[in-house]
């Protein structure tokens, strides 16, 4: 597994505002989208492109365009939805599939309650979006889901990760082609499975308490 932890003052600055408990939902949503766009730059470093011939006003030249099959972006509901717009802004031709997962707050086991994905993901580059990598249960289940459908190349983007979550994903992927891009790697999990220092419950801060 490849791990990339962002190291950029703009990302750290925006994350600091996101972490602040006094930041209201509208600002939180805006920043989540902006952070995703910044992280997308790294996450799409190996996106497949193909040669494309164009005419400039001066001459003919060969550039590139996003290759086929198009990348598949998979936000994990609910909180991953907050990152979707920031990603598809950069790759407007990407397709979008959905996975709905909720973590049981006692056992920390993820429950999958919704799925809308192509049946065959072989040869697709998949980009999974979820702001929080805590125990790794949800992201691990999502990655497994995609591999079972034939995906071979998965990049996961999270705003915050815990060392426990990174280790869990590393163990699980066991040599398969997975890249993990984090906005920051935090200190630890607390006894409630929350990332410390973290930002609290990302879904609630984006959309309110369910
Ligand atoms: C949060 C978060 C991740 C998950 C992380 O979602 O968005 O999906 O918890 O925790 P884990 O790494 O221990 O699995 P939650 O289950 O709260 O659902 P929500 O997005 O609907 O708020
Ligand atoms: N889910 C969240 O939204 N936040 C955490 O810190 C852990 C899991």
């Amino acid at each position: 597994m490849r791990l990339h932890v962002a190291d950029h003052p703009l990302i750290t600055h925006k994350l600091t505002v996101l972490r602040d408990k006094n930041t209201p939902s509208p600002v939180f949503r805006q920043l989540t989208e902006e952070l995703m766009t910044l992280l997308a730059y790294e996450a799409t470093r190996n996106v497949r492109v193909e040669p494309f011939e164009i005419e400039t006003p001066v001459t003919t030249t060969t550039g590139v365009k996003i290759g086929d099959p198009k990348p598949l972006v998979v936000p994990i509901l609910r909180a991953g939805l907050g990152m979707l717009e920031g990603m598809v802004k950069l790759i407007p031709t990407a397709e979008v599939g959905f996975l709905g997962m909720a973590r049981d707050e006692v056992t920390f086991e993820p429950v999958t309650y919704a799925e809308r994905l192509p049946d065959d993901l072989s040869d697709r580059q998949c980009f999974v979006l979820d702001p929080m990598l805590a125990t790794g249960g949800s992201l691990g289940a999502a990655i497994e889901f995609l591999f079972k459908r034939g995906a071979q190349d998965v990049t996961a983007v999270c705003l915050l990760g815990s060392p426990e979550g990174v280790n869990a994903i590393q163990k699980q992927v066991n040599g398969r082609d997975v890249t993990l891009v984090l906005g920051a790697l935090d200190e630890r999990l607390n006894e409630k499975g929350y990332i410390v220092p973290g930002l609290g419950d990302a879904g609630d801060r984006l959309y309110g308490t369910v």
Side-chain angles (χ1 to χ4, degrees):
M1 181 182 88
R2 284 175 296 276
L3 172 65
H4 179 87
V5 182
D7 177 22
H8 191 288
L10 263 188
I11 292 179
T12 311
H13 160 66
K14 287 177 192 292
L15 277 175
T16 304
V17 182
L18 211 62
R19 291 178 191 278
D20 187 336
K21 69 176 185 183
N22 294 315
T23 297
S25 280
V27 179
F28 194 97
R29 284 198 290 271
Q30 180 64 35
L31 286 171
T32 299
E33 188 181 319
E34 289 173 12
L35 278 159
M36 177 63 237
T37 302
L38 293 172
L39 293 174
Y41 183 73
E42 185 58 39
T44 56
R45 184 170 289 282
N46 294 316
V47 73
R48 211 177 294 135
V49 290
E50 54 192 45
F52 187 58
E53 198 166 287
I54 54 156
E55 281 180 30
T56 76
V58 181
T59 185
T60 299
T61 189
T62 304
V64 298
K65 62 175 183 176
I66 300 290
D68 284 316
K70 297 289 181 242
L72 182 72
V73 178
V74 184
I76 301 183
L77 309 180
R78 260 179 322 166
L81 260 192
M83 299 166 77
L84 179 61
E85 202 50 39
M87 181 70 171
V88 295
K89 233 181 221 165
L90 276 197
I91 314 189
T93 54
E95 290 175 10
V96 181
F98 296 91
L99 264 179
M101 290 186 165
R103 185 175 85 152
D104 182 307
E105 292 300 336
V106 177
T107 64
F108 304 143
E109 286 297 316
V111 177
T112 304
Y113 60 84
E115 174 262 310
R116 189 82 168 144
L117 290 169
D119 289 337
D120 182 9
L121 296 178
S122 45
D123 216 25
R124 299 296 292 264
Q125 284 186 304
C126 298
F127 295 88
V128 182
L129 316 183
D130 192 335
M132 309 303 276
L133 169 59
T135 64
S138 307
L139 185 61
I143 290 173
E144 229 32 72
F145 206 105
L146 299 176
F147 275 118
K148 279 205 183 104
R149 291 270 167 106
Q152 287 165 13
D153 177 351
V154 176
T155 298
V157 187
C158 304
L159 301 186
L160 298 184
S162 71
E164 294 90 333
V166 170
N167 287 339
I169 299 296
Q170 179 126 41
K171 229 183 248 170
Q172 186 192 315
V173 302
N174 192 21
R176 291 175 291 182
D177 192 356
V178 171
T179 303
L180 181 56
V181 177
L182 300 179
L185 180 58
D186 275 10
E187 287 168 21
R188 61 184 171 88
L189 292 181
N190 69 12
E191 61 294 344
K192 291 185 172 158
Y194 274 77
I195 298 175
V196 180
L199 51 74
D201 187 307
D204 287 358
R205 295 202 61 193
L206 281 162
Y207 302 119
T209 310
V210 284

